[in-house]
Amino acid sequence: MVSPMTVRDSFETLSQRDLAVLVPELLLCGQLIDRSGMAHLIVEFGREGMAQVAVEEWESASPWYTRRMQKALGYEGDDVVTIFKGLQLDIGAPPQFMDFRYRVDDPLHGEFWLDHCGALMDVEPLGDEFVTSMCHDIEDPTFDATAIATNPHAQIRPIHRPPRRPADRHPHCAWTVSIDPSHTPPVMTAHTEQIGCTAAVTVELSPIDHGGDGRADYSGPLLSDLRFSDFSRSALVRIAEEICVQHHLLALGFLAAVRRRADEDKAREITRKQLTGIAGVAAQRIRDALGLPSTLESLALVLSVHPLLNPKQYVESEIRPDGGALELWISRDALVDRDGGWPTLLGSEHLDPLQALVRGVNPHFTVRVVAEDAAGLLLAVDITEAPAPECVEVAITKVSTGAAFVFEDRGIPLPLFVV
């Protein structure tokens, strides 16, 4: 039997080895948030409306979380190397699935290209219009939003990009990055400023112990890949927490963008569908990545590290395993509640995201409300005789090739540029 735990223990319960496995999973699940949400946007607003929401959510979130990760891992700067390091730790560019390769010519100039773009693999079957929406309409403003978090005079411009001509062109796309004082910095958008006022932007997370084994930061040269097993346990805890903040910031940007196009009930409905899809897929991937059986004890562990309930400093919850039973309590007075984030979409009438989450571990699990008041939501997990069918929102998310993507060990990374 698993001893009682709370999400306050969260990532600290895992070994360094398990954390190194979990971190790229969290990055990939962050990218799949869009795969979970975009289909519902297309139904409501069409392809162009979907693209506009995507631009606004990424513009709103990425500058803030990019700066957070720079500060956390000690690679703050204003050069191309800093931009590239940020991309390696960005849910918009999960390793291998979005296989960014880098070249740095000097601190002010560089290139990157994608040897494999999982997002393109997802969208290409839909036709050139959808590819253009992603690779032109969405990428142009959002790449620059990411770059200006490092330097307001940074610009990212395409060398070539899809639609691919010829159809099997490799690399899938290629881009230049240049920093020049003559570049006019873009004006920060109102939606970016709005998300910048959230508690998620300033929440304080676990400090990194610089005395442990392994890397405690990402100072030094830009590496061809990040091998997360090279980081210390303490650093991996912080990285995992920061990635979960990225999830929440993106979701807040998504909800705010949808609110500008729909009434409150519809905006929450669409965002709840987004959460349902990613909650189920993330739970299943976490279970499989950590090699867990489909037990209540495993569910307790998955809940303790799931992005919906993390980081602990932002989302307050408690997991109460007791033999053959499991309860989950979610506070209504955490920082995430002040921001109106994911957990505020849950309630006695809206359990779909939690049902998807627990069934991502075992389709025989189901949640029911024990109590609900202004202080919090208390739920119990029951075991049913018959397995529940996979919900539509999870099935939609699994259309992405990322849902079944398998990471590989690429060995020792090579230094690309010494700062």
Side-chain angles (χ1 to χ4, degrees):
M1 183 185 76
V2 176
S3 59
M5 68 174 78
T6 71
V7 175
R8 293 185 181 281
D9 301 318
S10 187
F11 300 109
E12 291 91 337
T13 64
L14 297 183
S15 67
Q16 190 270 354
R17 179 179 179 180
D18 283 344
L19 284 165
V21 170
L22 181 63
V23 161
E25 291 290 339
L26 294 175
L27 286 166
L28 176 56
C29 288
Q31 205 275 339
L32 292 178
I33 292 173
D34 259 8
R35 302 284 76 76
S36 180
M38 292 302 114
H40 306 294
L41 294 179
I42 293 170
V43 171
E44 295 293 337
F45 310 122
R47 175 180 55 82
E48 292 183 356
M50 174 274 295
Q52 291 167 0
V53 170
V55 168
E56 290 178 22
E57 65 166 331
W58 287 98
E59 279 185 333
S60 297
S62 67
W64 307 114
Y65 68 62
T66 296
R67 292 169 185 159
R68 285 192 59 96
M69 192 69 83
Q70 290 174 356
K71 184 175 181 180
L73 291 186
Y75 62 90
E76 292 175 287
D78 59 2
D79 58 4
V80 167
V81 167
T82 306
I83 293 172
F84 289 169
K85 286 182 177 181
L87 287 172
Q88 291 177 318
L89 291 155
D90 191 316
I91 58 174
Q96 300 182 24
F97 182 68
M98 307 286 286
D99 198 9
F100 280 65
R101 304 289 89 194
Y102 303 97
R103 190 188 81 206
V104 180
D105 299 316
D106 59 56
L108 302 181
H109 301 88
E111 294 182 9
F112 67 83
W113 57 95
L114 271 71
D115 280 348
H116 172 80
C117 178
L120 178 63
M121 298 299 96
D122 293 345
V123 173
E124 215 166 35
L126 301 178
D128 282 358
E129 286 189 340
F130 280 89
V131 171
T132 299
S133 290
M134 181 180 74
C135 301
H136 296 244
D137 303 338
I138 297 173
E139 294 291 17
D140 283 352
T142 56
F143 267 151
D144 274 354
T146 298
I148 64 172
T150 297
N151 192 309
H153 299 287
Q155 289 185 350
I156 298 179
R157 296 293 180 265
I159 300 171
H160 69 83
R161 56 179 163 177
R164 291 192 284 170
R165 302 289 188 270
D168 60 349
R169 184 173 189 175
H170 283 82
H172 288 168
C173 64
W175 303 74
T176 64
V177 182
S178 62
I179 299 171
D180 190 318
S182 68
H183 293 162
T184 302
V187 176
M188 181 178 288
T189 65
H191 47 264
T192 305
E193 290 181 340
Q194 176 186 357
I195 298 303
C197 295
T198 61
V201 169
T202 57
V203 60
E204 294 187 11
L205 303 178
S206 300
I208 297 175
D209 178 4
H210 287 258
D213 294 333
R215 294 187 65 131
D217 57 38
Y218 192 12
S219 60
L222 171 71
L223 301 175
S224 56
D225 292 288
L226 283 187
R227 189 169 62 172
F228 292 104
S229 58
D230 291 337
F231 285 89
S232 70
R233 184 172 176 274
S234 177
L236 288 170
V237 167
R238 178 59 178 269
I239 293 170
E241 290 176 347
E242 291 288 351
I243 295 170
C244 289
V245 169
Q246 293 186 20
H247 285 228
H248 286 284
L249 282 168
L250 190 68
L252 289 170
F254 180 94
L255 177 57
V258 177
R259 277 179 171 147
R260 286 187 279 273
R261 293 162 175 82
D263 62 36
E264 182 64 14
D265 288 345
K266 176 58 69 172
R268 291 174 68 83
E269 174 192 332
I270 293 171
T271 308
R272 193 176 292 114
K273 289 179 178 179
Q274 174 210 55
L275 174 57
T276 300
I278 192 57
V281 170
Q284 183 175 329
R285 286 197 64 95
I286 292 168
R287 180 202 65 186
D288 293 346
L290 297 179
L292 302 173
S294 300
T295 61
L296 282 173
E297 289 83 357
S298 296
L299 175 59
L301 180 54
V302 170
L303 285 167
S304 76
V305 298
H306 196 285
L308 170 59
L309 302 176
N310 277 284
K312 62 187 181 182
Q313 300 89 342
Y314 186 61
V315 185
E316 292 182 19
S317 64
E318 187 174 319
I319 301 160
R320 303 169 183 169
D322 184 15
L326 178 66
E327 288 187 341
L328 170 66
W329 178 79
I330 302 174
S331 170
R332 295 299 196 199
D333 191 32
L335 292 178
V336 70
D337 297 286
R338 301 177 201 177
D339 287 346
W342 271 341
T344 67
L345 302 175
L346 307 174
S348 57
E349 301 300 317
H350 300 292
L351 293 177
D352 286 351
L354 289 171
Q355 298 288 22
L357 193 163
V358 300
R359 291 167 183 167
V361 175
N362 187 326
H364 291 271
F365 291 161
T366 188
V367 295
R368 59 180 169 85
V369 175
V370 176
E372 183 177 19
D373 57 28
L377 176 66
L378 180 63
L379 306 119
V381 179
D382 297 324
I383 302 175
T384 61
E385 183 175 345
E390 186 171 76
C391 71
V392 172
E393 291 84 358
V394 171
I396 288 172
T397 310
K398 285 186 174 180
V399 170
S400 170
T401 56
F405 187 80
V406 178
F407 293 100
E408 62 183 28
D409 182 357
R410 292 187 168 182
I412 299 173
L414 299 175
L416 297 179
F417 194 85
V418 177
V419 180

